[in-house]
Amino acid sequence: MNSITARRRHPLARVAVVALALGLLGGGYALAAPNGSTADAAIASGKADDVAQGKSLFVAHCASCHGMNAEGTKKAPTLIGVGAAAVNFQVSSGRMPAADAGPQAPRKPRAEWATDEAVDQLSAYVQSLGGGPTVPSAEQVDPAKGDPAKGGELFRANCIQCHNFVGAGGALTYGKYAPPLNPATPTQIYEAMATGPQAMPVFNDSTITPEQKRDMIAYITHVRSQVDPGGSGLGRIGPVTEGLVAWVVGLSLLILASIWITAKKRRAA
């Protein structure tokens, strides 16, 4: 008994206990945690060779900026951990590969090589590097299964500061801007919320649930078909364009009316 007590009082006893506890904790987490890279790659891709094909595409079209192992360079950030959703959003919307260095990559037509299959393969490869948000399923982004009314409330609470009431977009600081949402597909809208591209914050599932994201998609796609009862929507940007048109058109009409009245009086005289 005295020998056991003496060992417990040994200077290294506390270090041994801490090391044992950390080892048990790490081992338990490794056993309980899913294999994110393999599982997520399987979700992002339905083919066994997609990761290998995606790596070839990455080396050919992305490595010059993001590094051979997607570790990032001075030109572009690392892609480890960004997930398949970020890759699918950026490449499917034509933002990547970027044409020019600037404060923000604009939406443009896809690259010729960026077919749906190629985008899936590239997404699978990046997903295999470190996990991250996966591409949503068709059911998750189906506007018909969402509630536009609830989505409108969420959109007005979280998005109109940048994207406008109807998703027409708007200017931000330092040359950046919130793009219009009309060209975006339901999948791209979901991916943008999940990954936070450009200057957009990330709305993860604990902030906005997948069901709420689908409601917001339903609202965004619904307002696209709404008719402007007052006439021309003027880009649906808001009171700025409406005020500009009122001033320019109104003042122009007043000036023309004044010129016409003056000229008429001169002819009469």
Side-chain angles (χ1 to χ4, degrees), residues 85-86 113-114 143 145 178 216 220:
W113 61 266
K145 296 183 178 181
M216 294 173 71
I220 294 169

Side-chain angles (χ1 to χ4, degrees), residues 43-44 83-93 95 107 110 116 119-120 123 133-144 181-197 200 203 205 210 213-218 220-221 224:
I43 293 172
V87 177
N88 187 74
F89 172 83
Q90 297 287 356
V91 180
S92 69
S93 64
R95 291 178 168 87
R107 187 184 186 97
R110 287 192 192 188
D116 289 343
V119 173
D120 289 343
S123 300
T134 57
V135 177
S137 65
E139 183 179 0
Q140 286 180 294
V141 300
D142 187 357
L181 301 181
N182 287 340
T185 66
T187 298
Q188 290 170 350
I189 296 171
Y190 191 106
E191 290 168 339
M193 288 187 278
T195 62
M200 183 173 173
F203 295 100
D205 291 348
K213 288 184 175 71
R214 186 167 57 190
D215 291 339
M216 294 173 71
I217 291 171
I220 294 169
T221 55
R224 295 174 182 175

Side-chain angles (χ1 to χ4, degrees), residues 50-205:
D50 270 7
V51 173
Q53 295 292 336
K55 184 176 182 179
S56 299
L57 289 168
F58 182 88
V59 172
H61 303 287
C62 312
S64 60
C65 292
H66 291 283
M68 290 299 295
N69 298 308
E71 72 277 12
T73 65
K74 292 181 179 180
K75 294 181 180 179
T78 177
L79 297 182
I80 298 174
V82 302
V87 177
N88 187 74
F89 172 83
Q90 297 287 356
V91 180
S92 69
S93 64
R95 291 178 168 87
M96 293 292 153
D100 300 303
Q104 188 164 320
R107 187 184 186 97
K108 62 183 186 299
R110 287 192 192 188
E112 292 184 1
W113 61 266
T115 62
D116 289 343
E117 183 180 12
V119 173
D120 289 343
Q121 292 169 345
L122 186 61
S123 300
Y125 170 67
V126 173
Q127 185 76 38
S128 71
L129 298 178
T134 57
V135 177
S137 65
E139 183 179 0
Q140 286 180 294
V141 300
D142 187 357
K145 296 183 178 181
D147 187 336
K150 293 181 179 179
E153 294 178 0
L154 291 165
F155 188 85
R156 287 187 288 273
N158 297 280
C159 310
I160 64 170
Q161 298 88 342
C162 299
H163 286 287
N164 178 282
F165 285 87
V166 293
L172 301 175
T173 57
Y174 301 105
K176 297 182 179 181
Y177 58 92
L181 301 181
N182 287 340
T185 66
T187 298
Q188 290 170 350
I189 296 171
Y190 191 106
E191 290 168 339
M193 288 187 278
T195 62
Q198 312 293 346
M200 183 173 173
V202 175
F203 295 100
N204 56 36
D205 291 348

